[in-house]
Amino acid sequence: MPTATIYRLSFRAPLHIGERGVALEETRLHVPADTLFSALCTSWRVLFGAEALERELLDWFSGTEEEHPFHLTSAFPFAGEVLLFPKPVGRLRNLLLSSGDEKSFKRVRFVSREVLAALARGEPVRFSPKSCINGGVAWVSEGEMQKLAAFVEPAGDQAVLWRTATVPRVTLDRISNASAIWHFGEVHYAQGAGLWFAAVFNPAHGDQLTQRFDAALALLADSGLGGERGAGRGLFTFTKSEGDLPGVEDAPYFVTLAPFCPKDASQLAALTADRPAYELIARRGWVTSPEGSNLRRKTVWMFAEGSTFSAATTLPGCLVDVTPEPCPHKVWRYGYAFPLGVNMP
């Protein structure tokens, strides 16, 4: 695994990451890589123009893996030095789980770096509900639990990195002016917590690529990420640092940190040849360009973060054409995996 650039996003306002088909009172706790990529492309176009977006970014993804400008993970929660990752999908063979703790383990959605590293190496790892934080949603090691002591509230016994809230709203019917109440979900991150994601840049594209990436992210920070940006939701600041991610070199399997779509049937067959464990998610959304902002992208089903597959010789995934009719330009969805080598499934 090459050295990655780690971006930490600290939110200045609540965040809402929704999904079509799910009520607006629901919100995701993380930002999928394809959503992040689309938001960056929108900022790229605003700053440098539509031609630059095609020439400097999208066209390179139609070439070989060595030509790609960068690859992204999804954005997952962090607090202080502790980074959270998606829990690997499926029953882990090296997991030691006491009877009675199955429900607690099913509730876990994120694991810490040290927990994921131990699972990836194939070491026996014992799960305990006492090692969970934030209502049992995240599983961290004993050492990382101590690093999160500042996030334990006086009246509680677990670190709280974020809270979700349901905000009531009222809408008026355009014809009758009758009012109707609806609810909107949003995430509030604690001071010192937020979301992180990793990017691996292709050095062949030079420093200008990184500079433009950071400029696009800075514009996104000031314009907002997710839903209700017009009401000030999703604003953030960010920092960046270099670091390594957990994973095992030359491992027989990998866990993906980004949702992805195989490029063809042969790649899918190779990935699922030996005990795959995965979840499928439907990815939808609106076109955000000025020419097609009233159009919905075509739906595509992708493998979710945390899914486990056989190791591949090339980077799995592709840019998926989700252009709706009659949009005058191509619309793409980022569908590349971000693999971490693991010895289990």
Side-chain angles (χ1 to χ4, degrees):
M1 175 63 63
T3 300
T5 302
I6 309 294
Y7 290 88
R8 287 177 169 83
L9 315 183
S10 299
F11 287 88
R12 297 183 281 133
L15 174 68
H16 173 85
I17 301 294
E19 185 70 31
R20 184 188 175 197
V22 178
L24 288 175
E25 60 264 31
E26 299 292 336
T27 179
R28 292 179 182 273
L29 298 176
H30 76 289
V31 181
D34 55 317
T35 298
L36 187 60
F37 180 82
S38 297
L40 287 169
C41 286
T42 300
S43 296
W44 205 292
R45 171 175 169 150
V46 171
L47 286 175
F48 311 117
E51 291 186 3
L53 174 63
E54 294 285 343
R55 184 180 67 253
E56 299 172 357
L57 208 61
L58 298 178
D59 286 350
W60 290 106
F61 280 102
S62 62
T64 64
E65 177 184 339
E66 289 73 21
E67 295 175 322
H68 293 178
F70 57 77
H71 295 113
L72 296 173
T73 70
S74 298
F76 304 107
F78 82 92
E81 302 175 12
V82 179
L83 305 182
L84 299 182
F85 296 77
K87 183 181 78 170
V89 176
R91 181 63 184 265
L92 308 174
R93 296 189 173 195
N94 55 337
L95 176 69
L96 303 177
L97 188 63
S98 303
S99 69
D101 289 340
E102 289 87 353
K103 287 186 176 179
S104 297
F105 183 70
K106 286 182 179 179
R107 193 180 303 125
V108 172
R109 297 178 56 187
F110 303 104
V111 298
S112 68
R113 180 192 184 98
E114 292 184 3
V115 171
L116 180 60
L119 291 172
R121 291 191 295 268
E123 299 173 357
V125 182
R126 179 169 295 282
F127 171 77
S128 170
K130 295 180 180 178
S131 300
C132 295
I133 61 172
N134 228 100
V137 175
W139 174 20
V140 303
S141 70
E142 184 175 342
E144 291 167 324
M145 185 80 78
Q146 296 175 1
K147 294 179 180 178
L148 296 174
F151 293 89
V152 179
E153 298 178 344
D157 57 355
Q158 289 186 356
V160 178
L161 313 187
W162 68 83
R163 292 186 185 279
T164 57
T166 303
V167 182
R169 300 287 179 83
V170 174
T171 185
L172 297 178
D173 185 275
R174 293 183 179 180
I175 304 300
S176 65
N177 287 331
S179 63
I181 190 169
W182 57 284
H183 293 85
F184 182 82
E186 56 191 27
V187 186
H188 298 248
Y189 293 96
Q191 185 75 27
L195 297 177
W196 73 274
F197 72 92
V200 176
F201 294 99
N202 187 343
H205 289 262
D207 293 338
Q208 186 186 42
L209 171 68
T210 310
Q211 294 167 0
R212 293 205 165 197
F213 184 96
D214 290 351
L217 187 61
L219 176 60
L220 183 61
D222 290 335
S223 56
L225 181 62
E228 289 240 324
R229 295 186 297 276
R233 300 293 189 275
L235 302 177
F236 62 89
T237 60
F238 71 91
T239 61
K240 56 185 288 189
S241 60
E242 299 297 316
D244 296 324
L245 298 175
V248 178
E249 295 290 340
D250 301 323
Y253 306 96
F254 74 85
V255 168
T256 180
L257 299 187
F260 78 98
C261 179
K263 67 177 182 180
D264 53 37
S266 61
Q267 187 178 77
L268 174 63
L271 294 173
T272 57
D274 184 17
R275 294 174 292 178
Y278 57 81
E279 291 179 354
L280 294 173
I281 53 173
R283 304 299 294 138
R284 308 179 177 95
W286 293 92
V287 177
T288 55
S289 71
E291 300 88 348
S293 58
N294 62 331
L295 301 174
R296 286 189 182 276
R297 307 179 189 203
K298 290 182 179 178
T299 300
V300 57
W301 285 85
M302 304 174 73
F303 291 112
E305 303 95 331
S307 298
T308 307
F309 301 94
S310 300
T313 55
T314 59
L315 182 69
C318 60
L319 275 191
V320 186
D321 185 352
V322 291
T323 308
E325 296 293 342
C327 190
H329 60 78
K330 286 289 187 182
V331 182
W332 302 98
R333 183 172 289 283
Y334 184 83
Y336 286 97
F338 195 101
L340 287 184
V342 295
N343 285 330
M344 41 89 178

